[in-house]
Amino acid sequence: MKDHEEKTLRWIEEGKLQAVMSEVRGIQHVADAFVGMLQGESVGKAILRIWADDEERTHRNLPSFHRIS
């Protein structure tokens, strides 16, 4: 088991093992994203980005959100 943990950690550090994500941008697409997730259209982590980008969030003086990996 220890060998597996060491290999996995090394792969993550080397960038060989990465999370797969399906991302949808904009709250207006939440329903379609949810239905797509239920129908198996998304893979890995399903992410809905409410704001288009960090620049828009900064412009509107909105708080940052912490990412959990």
Side-chain angles (χ1 to χ4, degrees):
M1 187 68 161
K2 181 81 170 156
D3 184 47
H4 171 72
E5 290 175 4
E6 290 173 356
K7 285 181 184 178
T8 303
L9 182 59
R10 187 172 61 246
W11 291 337
I12 292 170
E13 290 172 346
E14 294 172 353
K16 293 180 180 178
L17 184 62
Q18 298 179 358
V20 177
M21 295 180 254
S22 296
E23 181 178 293
V24 175
R25 292 177 181 251
I27 191 71
Q28 68 274 20
H29 301 291
V30 70
D32 292 333
F34 183 70
V35 170
M37 183 180 64
L38 294 176
Q39 293 176 343
E41 295 174 5
S42 63
V43 294
K45 295 179 183 179
I47 298 172
L48 172 66
R49 293 206 187 268
I50 304 299
W51 300 103
D53 55 31
D54 285 340
E55 184 177 319
E56 181 178 356
R57 180 193 48 75
T58 302
H59 175 73
R60 294 175 183 258
N61 199 26
L62 298 171
S64 296
F65 294 94
H66 298 285
R67 293 190 177 133
I68 300 173
S69 302

